[in-house]
Amino acid sequence: MTEKTQRLEIVTPERKVYSGDVRFVVVPGVEGELGFLPHHAPLVSALDIGVMRVQEENRTFKVAISGGFVEVRNNRVVVLARTAEREDEIDRERALAAKARAEERLKARTPDIDIVRAELALKRALARLKAVS
Ligand code: ATP
């Protein structure tokens, strides 16, 4: 790790999604995007459903996450996410199907539909599609 990088770990209850040295990382905080350069001040924040942008030495990639927490300390950024998929892992067809399903439910709005649940499913699908676009 050089002066210009920081450690990034992305984990979910299921698996380690990413671990590496990065120059810059942006996460979807609940109150807006948060960007971290190396040696950032200590911080803990809740995360929204959205897209992370990760800048390594020689490449940039995206990660879709569905909420969680970020902790920054000692030149280390740890993202604990409910779910997380790197852009190369995302099944676009599956996300498109989830989006269509959620939109259908929101359109129907019958009494048995859980609106909040459908809205969250739609938001997750849109984040995944944004990460692969
Ligand atoms: P679906 O209705 O397609 O299951 P969902 O938003 O309800 O979507 P989640 O509960 O957020 O799915 O995730 C369940 C698991 O499936 C997690 O491990 C997540 O990483 C994975 N996952 C969900 N959608 C995709 C996708 N489009 N591509 C790859 N992995 C996915």
Side-chain angles (χ1 to χ4, degrees):
M1 202 165 6
T2 69
E3 273 296 294
K4 288 181 182 163
T5 63
Q6 59 196 331
R7 193 78 186 165
L8 172 65
E9 316 269 359
I10 305 173
V11 294
T12 73
E14 284 173 0
R15 68 194 179 106
K16 178 170 274 189
V17 176
Y18 175 83
S19 172
D21 297 332
V22 304
R23 284 179 180 271
F24 186 53
V25 54
V26 177
V27 301
V30 284
E31 285 166 31
E33 289 201 321
L34 300 168
F36 304 118
L37 287 163
H39 307 287
H40 193 281
L43 167 146
V44 171
S45 175
L47 297 176
D48 199 357
I49 296 167
V51 178
M52 289 180 58
R53 293 197 304 279
V54 181
Q55 196 182 317
E56 290 178 331
E57 208 94 35
N58 298 312
R59 66 162 187 157
T60 300
F61 64 94
K62 295 179 190 152
V63 182
I65 63 166
S66 63
F69 293 90
V70 62
E71 181 192 45
V72 184
R73 194 158 55 101
N74 295 335
N75 210 32
R76 193 159 165 260
V77 177
V78 179
V79 171
L80 299 169
R82 177 188 160 276
T83 65
E85 306 91 35
R86 300 189 308 270
E87 60 179 63
D88 58 299
E89 300 175 317
I90 292 172
D91 179 340
R92 192 163 178 277
E93 294 305 314
R94 177 174 167 181
L96 281 171
K99 173 174 177 278
R101 232 167 23 242
E103 283 172 343
E104 206 48 51
R105 288 188 176 129
L106 289 169
K107 206 163 68 184
R109 290 208 180 233
T110 54
D112 60 316
I113 301 278
D114 182 339
I115 298 292
V116 173
R117 185 172 161 190
E119 282 171 349
L120 290 173
L122 178 58
K123 203 168 167 182
R124 289 195 299 274
L126 291 174
R128 287 172 178 131
L129 291 170
K130 193 173 157 199
V132 281
S133 71

